[in-house]
């Protein structure tokens, strides 16, 4: 019987995982994340399968403690939080849960865009403090304006569908062009800089790779429209936090809606909050910048919840368990490398 450790387990996942594993596996449900702060017991180190969410940061220093590890069953699409090179070298499969949140994340990205353009959260917070000033809450209509979508995979394609439906012109940037998106939604593919220069709104839907780390840096913000708004529901590391803060505070761009941040786990992980000394100097710097971003009036920041709907959570859990069951039967599916 395989031993499985589930990390990052939320209360609403417990019953599902118990039903899925009872009598089939030796399993343990752990609320904490599997990261550099976690010290597994000797019994836990014997696990053949680990399942975790993106809140777990899993370097090789942690992975090498699990000598019998065969599979990491992710409950996410993204896998940049896992040391893939180590897994490849040690024959550890890494399987993700693709397509669980295509519509869910796209809808949330649109919600962020509407929130920032119409100053919804800003106005609501003002009203709670008995501040009503119509001059400060003047927003902008989005109909007829241009949105640039970076990354037109499954989520980006849904964003194109929604954008087309509300009358936005669409510029697209992706390594592979899709004819159906051109035909259905009028997506006009272009190069990266052309998109950045000509978009009123930019929505990021790319996976994080070595090539697109900090794709939005000081130079890119300098060529964006001063009236433009950046939406990021993909990965925080696509954007240079210092450059973003400078661009927003100096009014080089008009606003941002962010569901992801660099070093975002340091804002919510209790272990970091209890002992700030556990942060690296780089993480501490990003954390300070993230806190400053949250104080800006033209920024909406949410705690990585774009995926978080009942429908998407059910798809995540079902796919993760399907991956595990298939693996035990000798079938590999949704392997990321």
């Amino acid at each position: 019987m395989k031993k499985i450790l589930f990390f990052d387990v939320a209360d609403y996942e417990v019953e599902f995982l118990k039903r899925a594993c009872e009598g089939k596996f030796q399993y343990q449900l752990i609320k904490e994340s599997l990261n550099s702060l976690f010290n597994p017991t000797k019994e836990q180190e014997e696990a053949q399968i680990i399942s975790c969410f993106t809140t777990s940061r899993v370097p090789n220093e942690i992975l090498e403690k699990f000598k019998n590890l065969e599979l990491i069953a992710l409950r996410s699409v993204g896998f940049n939080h896992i040391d893939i090179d180590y897994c490849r070298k040690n024959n550890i499969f890494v399987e993700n849960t693709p397509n669980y949140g295509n519509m869910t994340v796209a809808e949330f990205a649109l919600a962020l865009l509407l929130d920032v353009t119409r100053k919804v959260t800003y106005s609501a917070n003002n009203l709670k403090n008995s501040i009503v000033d119509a001059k400060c809450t003047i927003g902008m209509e989005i109909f007829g304006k241009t949105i640039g979508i970076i990354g037109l995979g499954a989520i980006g394609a849904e964003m194109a569908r929604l954008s087309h439906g509300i009358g936005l012109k669409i510029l697209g940037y992706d390594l592979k062009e899709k004819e159906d998106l051109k035909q259905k939604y009028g997506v006009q593919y272009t190069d990266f800089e052309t998109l950045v220069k000509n978009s009123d709104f930019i929505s990021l839907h790319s996976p994080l790779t070595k090539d697109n780390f900090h794709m939005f840096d000081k130079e890119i913000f300098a060529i964006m429209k001063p009236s433009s708004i950046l939406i990021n529901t993909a990965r925080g590391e696509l954007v240079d936090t210092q450059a973003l803060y400078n661009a927003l505070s100096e009014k080089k761009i008009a606003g941002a809606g962010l569901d992801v941040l660099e070093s975002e786990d340091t804002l919510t992980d209790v272990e970091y909050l209890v002992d700030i000394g556990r942060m690296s100097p780089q993480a501490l710097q990003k954390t300070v910048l993230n806190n400053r971003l949250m104080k800006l009036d033209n920024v909406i920041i949410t705690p990585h919840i774009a995926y978080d709907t009942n429908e998407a959570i059910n798809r995540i859990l079902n796919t993760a368990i399907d991956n595990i069951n298939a693996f035990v039967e000798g079938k590999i599916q949704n392997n990321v490398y």
Side-chain angles (χ1 to χ4, degrees):
M1 189 176 288
K2 296 286 187 182
K3 293 184 178 180
I4 306 177
L5 301 179
F6 292 91
F7 292 90
D8 311 296
V9 176
D11 291 341
Y12 52 75
E13 295 177 304
V14 171
E15 288 305 315
F16 181 97
L17 294 174
K18 282 183 177 179
R19 288 197 305 270
C21 296
E22 204 68 50
K24 295 175 64 177
F25 309 112
Q26 294 182 41
Y27 69 96
Q28 185 176 356
L29 307 182
I30 303 168
K31 291 186 177 181
E32 291 77 18
S33 296
L34 175 61
N35 54 35
S36 58
L37 306 180
F38 182 82
N39 292 311
T41 64
K42 289 186 177 180
E43 183 179 357
Q44 289 171 336
E45 289 176 357
E46 296 175 358
Q48 291 99 1
I49 300 173
I50 285 173
S51 178
C52 63
F53 184 58
T54 55
T55 43
S56 283
R57 306 291 171 175
V58 191
N60 66 307
E61 293 85 359
I62 285 291
L63 291 174
E64 62 190 12
K65 295 181 180 181
F66 297 92
K67 304 300 182 183
N68 300 323
L69 189 58
E70 301 171 3
L71 170 67
I72 299 177
L74 298 175
R75 303 196 305 282
S76 64
V77 175
F79 51 86
N80 60 289
H81 54 301
I82 306 296
D83 190 330
I84 296 297
D85 289 337
Y86 176 90
C87 292
R88 184 185 289 109
K89 292 175 183 176
N90 290 275
N91 298 314
I92 301 169
F93 292 97
V94 181
E95 298 180 353
N96 68 349
T97 55
N99 301 318
Y100 72 84
N102 302 342
M103 187 179 298
T104 298
V105 175
E107 287 179 351
F108 195 86
L110 181 59
L112 285 176
L113 175 58
L114 290 168
D115 195 320
V116 177
T117 55
R118 297 306 306 272
K119 302 185 179 180
V120 178
T121 298
Y122 175 75
S123 301
N125 288 337
N126 276 351
L127 186 58
K128 289 179 182 178
N129 294 303
S130 301
I131 300 171
V132 180
D133 187 348
K135 292 181 180 179
C136 294
T137 55
I138 297 173
M140 70 169 78
E141 293 181 352
I142 65 175
F143 180 83
K145 293 186 171 63
T146 298
I147 185 169
I149 301 176
I150 296 178
L152 283 146
I155 298 174
E158 282 294 329
M159 190 63 179
R161 181 183 65 82
L162 294 174
S163 299
H164 176 73
I166 57 176
L168 284 165
K169 300 172 185 176
I170 306 170
L171 297 180
Y173 173 74
D174 202 305
L175 298 178
K176 183 178 180 180
E177 297 186 10
K178 296 179 179 178
E179 285 299 322
D180 64 321
L181 297 185
K182 296 179 184 178
Q183 299 298 323
K184 289 182 181 179
Y185 312 128
V187 175
Q188 179 183 343
Y189 284 90
T190 185
D191 63 86
F192 180 62
E193 288 199 6
T194 298
L195 181 149
V196 168
K197 290 178 180 178
N198 292 282
S199 296
D200 299 296
F201 319 118
I202 298 175
S203 191
L204 306 186
H205 300 285
S206 296
L208 178 65
T209 67
K210 294 178 181 178
D211 294 329
N212 64 19
F213 176 79
H214 282 185
M215 67 190 304
F216 277 79
D217 56 15
K218 179 180 179 181
E219 288 71 26
I220 294 302
F221 285 119
I223 63 174
M224 290 173 64
K225 291 183 178 182
S227 59
S228 64
I229 290 170
L230 179 69
I231 304 297
N232 189 7
T233 54
R235 286 291 178 265
E237 291 81 4
L238 296 173
V239 180
D240 182 331
T241 308
Q242 181 69 69
L244 174 62
Y245 177 80
N246 292 345
L248 289 163
S249 60
E250 296 169 10
K251 308 298 182 184
K252 292 180 179 178
I253 64 172
L258 311 171
D259 186 52
V260 289
L261 300 165
E262 290 190 278
S263 297
E264 62 189 38
D265 51 319
T266 64
L267 295 175
T268 56
D269 193 312
V270 175
E271 296 291 344
Y272 287 111
L273 299 175
V274 169
D275 184 2
I276 197 171
R278 290 176 172 176
M279 293 188 196
S280 68
Q282 294 81 6
L284 182 58
Q285 179 192 39
K286 300 299 183 187
T287 303
V288 171
L289 284 169
N290 288 337
N291 277 283
R292 289 183 178 178
L293 277 173
M294 285 190 282
K295 297 181 185 301
L296 296 178
D297 291 337
N298 55 346
V299 181
I300 301 296
I301 298 178
T302 51
H304 203 148
I305 57 170
Y307 72 94
D308 202 6
T309 62
N310 289 324
E311 295 84 354
I313 290 168
N314 286 334
R315 288 191 288 266
I316 290 171
L317 293 173
N318 277 296
T319 303
I321 292 299
D322 284 347
N323 286 343
I324 291 171
N325 287 335
F327 181 82
V328 172
E329 295 172 1
K331 303 172 186 176
I332 306 301
Q333 58 187 33
N334 298 318
N335 193 47
V336 302
Y337 66 84

